[in-house]
């Protein structure tokens, strides 16, 4: 069976060049970077090189990069780290209603611990408004956390404008910091911490064609954080634990390749997505796009198919070799319709019928065409079963044209 | 997660999908928590269920249970149909993950409702 | 140059069979285990298999195993997790003075946050006494954390006896739990959570011939923990973040191999260590062994060479291809003499002169002999420089025999 | 961490190790924080340092700085010796990690003490 992976937002295959780069660190180069001897120094040097590459991907300095186990941990360290460190300055956090489940979970946990959390709306476009951020700012706001690009619909948030706003506040003496979750954005758009004027920025390697289990937090020089995983001098006391050397090396190489190839990758997936969406429009009726189509990551297309539920469609597609997702990969499996699609103002039915198609750098035209062959049939199969569809058809038949 | 192959096959190749224009019994039930919905139409002949059709909206187990139930009902007497259990439906779809057991319950509820509509009706 | 790695306590080379097992998960099998489709389920199944293997290594049930980024994070989740969850029952923790820097760091952090920490002595043998634990227990003690085997001198602690004690207390109604850091122990002795009667047990894959960056915490069924890395449904809500699938698979395979080969490995390193220690005794004067030699991990030999400082010796050995360590790998680089060796009651000079030789499953007799050739010369070189040695020689010369 | 190759070479092949039986000047200094210790013996001849020997205990930079210092002193006039700086010693060992700069300071302090013992002494 032909297999087409259209779920690059959930995770990406590891680039062959990345595997090559890490392999020596899975075999002969196995030292603990904390060791003083040859083996240790060899690993230490490799971690330092990787740190420079990751820093360079986002326009940061190497010592502003903290390696850790992934995007979720980066978000934990950023949000909990700032809040715990600066609790004396205030206990108010501003975020959006479409953050990744990790940020949502962390903010919910803060909410249960004497913190006040303001969750801003994103409207039908799936984009937060800078005016709303401005209006929500309070003298006791210590952290604003707004993702750079959403993981379900791909919408890009106005982080640079929010950054400018926060800078103003800070210039006026407020103790306030800006975090952005750039886990999805980093593979799709140029990210520069100075342009964004952010203080903290989360990255995860497995969205950039590197393995799962490693990520990084950018921490602007001078920003103080309460470390979360403590005990050990690693990462300049900001994150304890023996460095995951092979993964860190892989992340470094993936960051280097992303920096060099980002524009070409973005152009490639944008072109294929156009082909895909044009094909869907020609072949399937009764669907809506989710999220502002102009302000989106180039490889993501999120569509709600009326009258059908997403998971059934997903499994139908999967049985024909097409891998997609419904809701966020992490929260799928729960009964609830996607909270992100709900936040766009969609009703439950549309929210349950949403499917994310996410293309990757190695996606081909042939794969797009295969999905365009399989998808309309799968939608049709499920609609034929759907009492909602039957009812709508009957109603339509009775309505004079 | 992990759905059985049988369950997935019901999803890709649903058996007995649709409604019966000349149904003797019909019922539609929904799960108020998740919004899942199942509709069952039955036609009788010589004391047996001659034809059974279903429509379903919702998560894969709901669709598969509808398909499996409609399939097994054809040829049953009403007494046999009344004795169909949640377990039997679950088995017919190759098992269900713990969190999805309610799909088989919805199938049984809909069946009961359809059979009740019969006792209340012309039969 | 011949290279001899005698630093297996710092980290181990990855077993070739472990690399083979993980490679498919770095290449074609790249799904996110949270994904519903084929790729996701393939990864999910692999994680489940690995979980069974790790559980089986320590006699636990699979759902008592939480995968995370390493031993340090396991210690954080265990200690902070129990303390935060059960703060209402008391704020007293008992530990020892020779815990790994991660446990030490975590306990220090608790100490700064309204917790009282009792650090028990270990005496010259480097072994904590069960009576001391008993005497330190208070009605408000919620956690006892005692490592199973020490990382610097290899001494094995009486965890099973402490476990029995804690069980008694719990039977009497006290809310109290036992954590043991088995990161070093797992590769050297049979570990069984029921025999130890522990509630939580930390493991790290890179001490078991698997890569760095993955570990596990055993959490006995029914023990509740405040999760530390939150946000995400992974690991049954006990640890958020996309699973490091290739590393988890590697850990599973390493656990399986350890279970099958542990006795042979232990026998092998014990035999080579005997050869090594006999050779040192024959060739070098003025040294002491650190830690009880009978109650030690089989592959570890910790020796203080009088009149010389450890790092200089380490570098001298390194320049001849022999990798060893002084103090714990993680805390080397600080000016302080090893706190573990100090805890044995050694003076500063002996504590600064301690070297850990740690042998591994692939260490050969030839390697031992090479170290025995190089080590006496390196000690001699440094002693010739040492004002302490010159003084001692003069004194000795003046003392009538 | 990362020590220079020059530093490591001083450690493996120390230059001018030992004491001088017929020293004209001697001094031993120690770093009270870390316990590092350096001993320097000098013998003079025709207004120059004819021989210099060191003994050292402590971290690698202390040993290497002692070795490098003793080596560079031989052949110097006392005025030249008095002008040797911390920077010059640091350079002679191929640089030092920031946390280890104190090793070069200990070398200079010991040198100063030795030279002082001279001015107080027979010279
Ligand atoms: C926007 C966003 N943030 C955070 C994460 C979490 O990263 P990780 O999977 O490395 O834990 C993800 C990926 O799942 C994501 O899409
Ligand atoms: C006893 C002990 N505990 C914990 C750790 C930390 O584990 P990791 O290196 O995986 O963070 C180590 C290893 O350095 C150790 O030896």
């Amino acid at each position: 069976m032909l297999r087409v992976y259209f779920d690059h937002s959930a995770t990406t295959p590891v680039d062959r060049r990345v595997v090559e780069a890490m392999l020596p660190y899975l075999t002969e180069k196995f030292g603990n970077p904390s060791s003083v001897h040859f083996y240790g120094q060899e690993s230490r040097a490799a971690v330092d090189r990787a740190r420079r590459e990751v820093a360079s991907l986002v326009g940061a300095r190497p010592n502003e990069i903290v390696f850790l186990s992934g995007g979720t941990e980066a978000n934990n360290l950023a949000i909990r780290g700032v809040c715990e460190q600066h609790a004396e300055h205030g206990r108010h956090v501003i975020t959006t209603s479409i953050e990744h489940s990790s940020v949502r979970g962390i903010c919910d946990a803060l909410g249960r611990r004497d913190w006040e959390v303001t969750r801003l709306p994103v409207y039908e476009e799936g984009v937060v408004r800078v005016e709303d951020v401005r209006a929500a700012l309070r003298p006791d706001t210590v952290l604003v956390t707004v993702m750079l690009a959403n993981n379900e619909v791909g919408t890009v948030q106005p982080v640079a404008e929010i950054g400018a706003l926060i800078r103003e506040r800070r210039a006026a003496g407020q103790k306030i910091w800006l975090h952005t979750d750039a886990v999805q954005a980093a593979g799709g758009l140029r990210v520069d911490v100075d342009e964004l004027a952010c203080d903290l920025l989360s990255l995860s390697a497995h969205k950039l064609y590197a393995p799962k289990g490693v990520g990084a937090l950018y921490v602007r020089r001078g920003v103080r954080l309460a470390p979360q995983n403590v005990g050990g001098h690693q990462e300049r006391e900001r994150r304890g634990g023996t460095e995951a050397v092979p993964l860190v090396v892989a992340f470094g190489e993936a960051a280097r390749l992303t920096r060099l190839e980002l524009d070409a990758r973005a152009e490639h997936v944008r072109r294929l997505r156009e082909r895909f969406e044009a094909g869907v429009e020609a072949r399937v009726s009764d669907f809506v796009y989710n999220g502002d189509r102009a302000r989106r990551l180039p490889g993501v297309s999120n569509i709600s198919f009326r009258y059908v539920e997403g998971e059934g469609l997903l499994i139908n597609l999967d049985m024909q070799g097409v891998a997609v997702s419904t809701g966020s990969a992490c929260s799928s499996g729960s009964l609830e319709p996607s909270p992100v699609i709900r936040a766009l103002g969609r009703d439950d039915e549309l929210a349950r019928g949403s499917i994310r198609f996410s293309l990757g750098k190695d996606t081909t035209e042939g794969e797009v065409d295969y999905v365009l062959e399989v998808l309309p049939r799968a939608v049709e199969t499920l609609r034929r079963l759907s009492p909602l569809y039957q009812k709508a058809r009957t109603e339509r038949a009775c309505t004079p044209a | 997660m992990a759905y059985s192959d049988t369950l997935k096959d019901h999803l890709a190749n649903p058996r007995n999908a649709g409604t019966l224009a000349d149904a003797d019994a019909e019922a539609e039930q929904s799960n108020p928590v998740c919004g899942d919905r199942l509709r069952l139409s039955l036609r009788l002949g010589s004391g047996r269920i001659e034809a059974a059709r279903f429509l379903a909206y919702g998560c894969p187990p709901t669709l598969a249970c509808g398909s499996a139930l409609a399939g097994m009902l054809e040829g049953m007497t009403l007494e046999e149909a009344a004795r169909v259990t949640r377990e039997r439906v679950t088995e017919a779809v190759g098992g269900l993950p713990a969190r999805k057991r309610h799909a088989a319950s919805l199938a049984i509820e809909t069946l009961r409702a359809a059979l009740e509509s019969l006792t209340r009706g012309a039969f």
Side-chain angles (χ1 to χ4, degrees), chain A, chain B:
Chain A
M1 179 168 56
L2 185 59
R3 289 215 166 268
V4 178
Y5 187 73
F6 260 36
D7 200 12
H8 290 82
S9 300
T11 195
T12 54
V14 185
D15 190 301
R16 193 169 295 273
R17 295 166 294 179
V18 169
V19 177
E20 290 302 322
M22 76 185 284
L23 265 182
Y25 296 89
L26 282 173
T27 51
E28 73 266 26
K29 302 184 178 187
F30 61 83
N32 185 327
S34 295
S35 296
V36 177
H37 51 62
F38 172 80
Y39 296 88
Q41 296 308 303
E42 185 175 61
S43 285
R44 164 66 52 223
V47 169
D48 288 346
R49 274 194 305 278
R51 198 185 305 280
R52 286 194 293 274
E53 288 298 346
V54 171
S56 169
L57 178 64
V58 297
R61 285 177 284 247
N63 61 11
E64 294 175 321
I65 298 295
V66 179
F67 284 120
L68 26 67
S69 67
T72 299
E73 189 184 347
N75 289 336
N76 271 270
L77 178 55
I79 300 173
R80 288 154 50 106
V82 163
C83 288
E84 288 175 16
Q85 182 71 35
H86 300 287
E88 89 244 41
H89 299 120
R91 290 179 155 262
H92 179 232
V93 174
I94 298 172
T95 185
T96 78
S97 48
I98 55 163
E99 296 297 312
H100 182 260
S101 59
S102 58
V103 171
R104 211 182 318 130
I106 299 160
C107 290
D108 290 349
L110 285 174
R112 288 188 297 269
R113 279 172 43 198
D114 292 342
W115 287 80
E116 251 186 281
V117 181
T118 301
R119 293 171 188 81
L120 297 176
V122 296
Y123 308 95
E124 202 189 326
E125 313 85 67
V127 179
V128 77
R129 295 188 186 160
V130 181
E131 316 84 88
D132 287 348
V133 177
R134 189 192 303 276
L137 284 172
R138 307 192 321 208
D140 63 340
T141 309
V142 291
L143 182 72
V144 177
T145 174
V146 173
M147 69 198 324
L148 187 48
N150 176 263
N151 48 301
E152 249 179 276
V153 295
T155 47
V156 178
Q157 309 299 315
V159 173
E161 290 87 328
I162 297 170
L165 194 62
I166 306 291
R167 289 252 162 123
E168 277 173 31
R169 289 296 167 124
R170 202 150 55 208
Q174 185 166 349
K175 300 280 186 199
I176 182 170
W177 290 271
L178 173 63
H179 167 245
T180 187
D181 174 351
V183 166
Q184 289 291 339
L189 25 114
R190 292 266 156 215
V191 172
D192 184 286
V193 291
D194 289 329
E195 280 171 27
L196 294 174
C198 62
D199 302 299
L200 302 131
L201 179 141
S202 301
L203 294 171
S204 180
H206 74 94
K207 313 287 187 182
L208 304 172
Y209 305 94
K212 288 163 257 305
V214 63
L217 181 66
Y218 157 78
V219 184
R220 187 176 291 279
R221 189 185 286 189
V223 174
R224 286 177 57 223
L225 293 178
Q228 299 296 309
N229 203 47
V230 307
H233 300 297
Q234 294 92 351
E235 301 297 306
R236 310 170 81 232
E237 311 270 334
R238 291 174 296 189
R239 201 276 188 178
T242 299
E243 299 86 342
V245 183
L247 293 190
V248 164
V249 168
F251 189 9
E253 178 66 3
R256 193 180 72 82
L257 294 171
T258 302
R259 179 166 54 77
L260 297 176
E261 300 175 1
L262 183 72
D263 299 334
R265 291 180 188 178
E267 198 35 50
H268 175 74
V269 291
R270 192 189 310 279
R271 196 174 54 75
L272 290 182
R273 183 181 62 181
E274 272 168 26
R275 183 186 186 91
F276 171 70
E277 293 189 339
V280 174
E281 287 168 22
R283 290 174 178 79
V284 186
S285 61
D286 290 317
F287 71 86
V288 295
Y289 291 108
N290 293 312
D292 188 323
R293 293 178 69 199
R295 283 178 286 175
R296 270 190 303 179
L297 289 176
V300 180
S301 183
N302 191 303
I303 299 181
S304 285
F305 297 93
R306 269 186 209 284
Y307 317 124
V308 303
E309 188 266 356
E311 207 193 352
L313 186 48
L314 185 162
I315 288 177
N316 250 297
L317 291 173
D318 186 40
M319 288 180 75
Q320 295 174 79
V322 177
V324 299
S325 84
T326 172
S328 165
C330 306
S331 56
S332 70
S334 70
L335 267 180
E336 316 213 328
S338 159
V340 172
I341 311 293
R342 291 288 290 124
L344 310 184
R346 303 283 187 228
D347 61 34
D348 271 4
E349 185 207 324
L350 279 178
R352 285 192 77 182
S354 82
I355 294 282
R356 177 183 68 190
F357 304 87
S358 49
L359 287 58
K361 71 185 182 67
D362 300 318
T363 301
T364 64
E365 277 191 6
E367 291 179 335
V368 170
D369 293 346
Y370 180 70
V371 177
L372 286 172
E373 190 189 312
V374 164
L375 173 67
R377 269 191 277 129
V379 172
E380 189 49 34
T381 301
L382 291 175
R383 283 191 177 160
R384 255 187 282 122
L385 296 189
S386 171
L388 308 176
Y389 185 59
Q390 302 302 341
K391 199 156 77 187
R393 268 218 315 209
T394 325
E395 279 162 16
R396 231 179 313 203
C398 303
T399 324
Chain B
M1 233 339 78
Y3 295 131
S4 74
D5 289 341
T6 314
L7 189 152
K8 292 185 188 174
D9 187 58
H10 274 289
L11 215 67
N13 308 295
R15 269 69 106 179
N16 305 52
T19 47
L20 293 166
D22 49 356
D24 295 302
E26 272 200 303
E28 184 168 322
Q29 295 283 312
S30 71
N31 178 328
V33 178
C34 61
D36 283 7
R37 197 170 268 284
L38 182 61
R39 185 177 180 80
L40 200 60
S41 325
L42 307 177
R43 195 179 61 231
L44 306 179
S46 23
R48 291 188 181 264
I49 299 176
E50 206 175 63
R53 294 287 179 278
F54 83 103
L55 289 177
Y57 167 82
C59 59
T62 298
L63 274 51
C65 288
S67 169
L69 175 66
M72 73 173 68
L73 288 176
E74 292 198 342
M76 281 189 181
T77 63
L78 291 176
E79 293 69 37
E80 284 165 348
R83 285 200 303 270
V84 172
T85 59
R86 217 176 61 150
E87 288 66 34
R88 183 147 166 216
V89 172
T90 305
E91 215 172 89
V93 296
L96 285 173
R99 290 173 308 95
K100 298 289 193 176
R101 301 265 161 77
H102 64 275
S105 309
L106 179 62
I108 297 300
E109 277 168 39
T110 314
L111 171 60
R112 296 269 149 80
L115 296 178
E116 247 171 56
S117 81
L118 268 182
T119 52
R120 279 197 320 268
F123 226 61

